[in-house]
Amino acid sequence: MIEILFGESEAGGVTIARAMQKPGSADQVVELSFDLDVGDISGSLLSEARKSQCLKKYSLGRWRDCDTVEQQKQKWNSLQKQVSRFKAYAAEGEAMRIWYSDAPYAVCGLYQVCSMLKDCDCPVSVVKLPEYQLKNEKTIVVHQSWGEVGHMDILDFTKDEKPLSRMEVRYYADLWEELVKENAPLRAVVNGRLVSVPADFYDFMVEGGIEERPFKECKLIGHALDYQMGVSDDLFLESAQRLIDDGRLVVVDDEDIEWDGERLLRRAEDMVSCCGLDCLECEAYDKTCRGCDRTEGKPFWLKGTGDKTCRIYHCCVERKSFRHCGECVLHKYIKTEHPEKPFMASCDRYARSGPEMSEEEKEQRLAKQLTHLEKLLHQ
C-alpha cells in the first residue's frame, strides 16, 4: 500500500508511524507537496512555474540572513524524486491510499492525483480527515490538516478508509481538468466545494486585523488564521504585502527582523500616538525621533524634561493599558457631565504639556488631538 500525502509534515508523520508499525515500510510514503491551491497549474507538476511557486516559502524575501539557496535545491530535488516514485508505483499497479482534508491544497492534491491515475490499473482509496475527533466525554479535537495529527494516532484513521471506484477517480480527474482550464491565481474551498478564486480572495481576512495603532504584521496573520481556511500563512503574508503596495498599510520598521511577519505596520492615513498627536506631522520624525509607539513612549524631547517616559504614554498605555486617551474614564465623564469642556484640558498631564507654547497654540494643538482621538474612537 502506497501512502500519498500532500504536505511535508503529514508525510513525515505517516512515515514515522509506518516505520514504527512495520520496520522497512517507511519508503512506501510519497510526498506530493506542490501547493496546488496557489498559482499557475496549466503545466506539469515539475514545470518551472510550479517550481517557482513551491520554493517561495524558502525565499530570501521571507527569511532574512538565511542561506535558502541550498534548501531550495534540496527540496526541489526531493520533489522530483517523489514524482518519479509515484509514477513507478502507478505503472506497477500498486494500491494507492490518498490522505486528504478540506484544506484547499489537499483537495487540489486529490483531484490532481486522480487525474494522473485515471488511466492506471491500480486500486485507489482515500482517508479523509474528519471534522473532529472525539477523544473522550470531555474532549473534542479539531484538526485543519493531517500535519496536526500526531504520528502515534494517525494510522488509527485508516479505519475510515474508503475505496474509490474507477468512476469516482475519473470524476475527480474531470474536476481537476476544469480547474486547470480556469487556471485562476488561487483555488479555495467555499461551501464545501473547491472553486477558482482571485488573488485577493483572502485579503479581507487580513484587513480585518488592522489595528488603530502600529502593530506587528504577524498579528494580521493570526487574525486571518482564525478563519481556519486551511491555507498557508504565506498567502496571508502576500495579502498583507498587497495592502502595503496598495497604500492601505505603511511599513514603520523592518530592521533587525528574521521574517516579514515581524515587520511593524500602521494604517496609511496617519500615525496617531495615544495622546492624539500625529507623529508624521512632527519635523523630528525619522530624523531625531522614531515616533511614540516605536520608542514606547520615549520621544526625543524627553531629554529636556528629565522624565524616563512621556507622562501621558505612561498613564494611558503602561498604567491603564488603553490604546489611546479617548478610552479614559475621565474622557467619558467629561463628555457626559460637562460636554462643553474639552476633556484633555481637564487632565493635568495635558495641561502641563508644551510649556513653551502660547495659550493659542495649545488650544489649536488640543483641538487637533481631540479630532484624532474622536476618529480613533469611531473606528
Side-chain angles (χ1 to χ4, degrees):
M1 176 72 73
I2 307 303
E3 316 285 4
I4 310 297
L5 296 105
F6 305 112
E8 189 172 354
S9 60
E10 54 206 54
V14 172
T15 298
I16 294 172
R18 286 287 299 262
M20 292 174 63
Q21 184 186 68
K22 183 181 179 181
S25 65
D27 61 347
Q28 294 180 324
V29 177
V30 175
E31 175 204 333
L32 299 177
S33 55
F34 284 90
D35 301 331
L36 293 172
D37 59 320
V38 184
D40 187 346
I41 55 173
S42 60
S44 69
L45 283 181
L46 299 179
S47 67
E48 284 300 313
R50 186 47 35 191
K51 176 181 179 181
S52 175
Q53 181 60 53
C54 288
L55 300 183
K56 266 188 178 181
K57 64 186 73 173
Y58 303 99
S59 69
L60 282 170
R62 294 284 165 80
W63 297 98
R64 317 293 175 87
D65 301 324
C66 179
D67 181 12
T68 62
V69 176
E70 188 60 30
Q71 292 182 46
Q72 292 183 42
K73 182 179 179 181
Q74 292 177 4
K75 184 60 183 178
W76 189 246
N77 287 341
S78 173
L79 287 173
Q80 287 178 311
K81 292 177 182 178
Q82 298 293 320
V83 172
S84 297
R85 291 176 58 226
F86 171 81
K87 290 181 177 179
Y89 287 136
E92 294 169 3
E94 293 277 2
M96 304 280 185
R97 181 159 59 196
I98 304 170
W99 299 71
Y100 80 106
S101 65
D102 283 328
Y105 77 89
V107 183
C108 283
L110 168 67
Y111 290 4
Q112 199 276 339
V113 165
C114 286
S115 179
M116 292 197 295
L117 293 175
K118 65 180 180 180
D119 297 321
C120 297
D121 186 21
C122 56
V124 180
S125 62
V126 294
V127 181
K128 184 179 180 182
L129 184 68
E131 181 181 357
Y132 60 86
Q133 182 184 11
L134 183 63
K135 284 284 190 179
N136 53 55
E137 292 182 356
K138 296 183 178 180
T139 307
I140 285 181
V141 179
V142 177
H143 299 293
Q144 297 299 311
S145 71
W146 284 114
E148 298 177 1
V149 180
H151 66 272
M152 298 293 290
D153 301 323
I154 196 163
L155 291 184
D156 293 341
F157 289 89
T158 56
K159 67 180 185 301
D160 301 321
E161 181 179 359
K162 173 193 169 186
L164 289 187
S165 66
R166 300 311 304 169
M167 180 61 71
E168 288 173 305
V169 171
R170 293 190 185 96
Y171 170 68
Y172 289 140
D174 289 343
L175 291 178
W176 181 247
E177 293 306 318
E178 288 298 318
L179 292 168
V180 170
K181 288 177 184 177
E182 294 168 350
N183 198 25
L186 298 175
R187 284 146 291 282
V189 175
V190 180
N191 294 330
R193 292 184 60 244
L194 183 68
V195 296
S196 298
V197 296
D200 61 357
F201 179 75
Y202 298 107
D203 286 10
F204 79 94
M205 302 178 190
V206 173
E207 194 168 8
I210 295 176
E211 300 177 357
E212 291 90 345
R213 307 187 58 72
F215 53 88
K216 290 290 185 70
E217 186 171 342
C218 55
K219 282 195 172 183
L220 296 182
I221 310 307
H223 182 272
L225 288 172
D226 285 343
Y227 283 87
Q228 299 184 350
M229 298 297 292
V231 299
S232 166
D233 56 4
D234 287 340
L235 280 179
F236 299 136
L237 283 170
E238 290 180 9
S239 290
Q241 185 61 51
R242 203 158 25 246
L243 295 175
I244 294 169
D245 295 340
D246 290 346
R248 284 177 278 178
L249 288 176
V250 173
V251 178
V252 177
D253 189 4
D254 62 355
E255 297 180 4
D256 301 322
I257 62 174
E258 294 185 358
W259 71 299
D260 286 355
E262 296 178 348
R263 294 188 292 187
L264 186 66
L265 308 178
R266 65 166 175 83
R267 287 182 183 272
E269 295 85 4
D270 48 40
M271 191 172 177
V272 178
S273 298
C274 65
C275 67
L277 287 176
D278 187 349
C279 290
L280 295 182
E281 296 178 359
C282 179
E283 294 180 357
Y285 181 72
D286 255 358
K287 295 177 183 177
T288 59
C289 185
R290 298 168 63 236
C292 187
D293 287 292
R294 289 170 67 182
T295 61
E296 297 182 333
K298 299 175 178 60
F300 74 101
W301 48 261
L302 279 185
K303 56 188 176 185
T305 68
D307 294 324
K308 293 184 178 179
T309 306
C310 167
R311 296 176 183 179
I312 295 176
Y313 186 94
H314 173 70
C315 173
C316 177
V317 179
E318 295 182 339
R319 191 160 67 86
K320 298 179 179 177
S321 298
F322 291 147
R323 295 173 300 167
H324 52 78
C325 292
E327 296 181 337
C328 184
V329 292
L330 176 61
H331 173 212
K332 296 173 182 176
Y333 170 77
I334 294 297
K335 283 194 70 174
T336 303
E337 303 297 330
H338 302 282
E340 75 284 356
K341 297 178 64 175
F343 85 94
M344 290 178 293
S346 303
C347 176
D348 61 349
R349 293 173 181 81
Y350 278 87
R352 289 199 300 266
S353 66
E356 76 289 350
M357 301 173 68
S358 67
E359 289 302 316
E360 183 179 357
E361 289 174 326
K362 283 186 179 182
E363 288 182 8
Q364 291 175 351
R365 187 173 76 166
L366 284 171
K368 185 176 290 187
Q369 288 173 281
L370 181 59
T371 299
H372 287 154
L373 291 175
E374 289 285 359
K375 180 180 177 182
L376 290 177
L377 277 173
H378 291 91
Q379 285 181 345

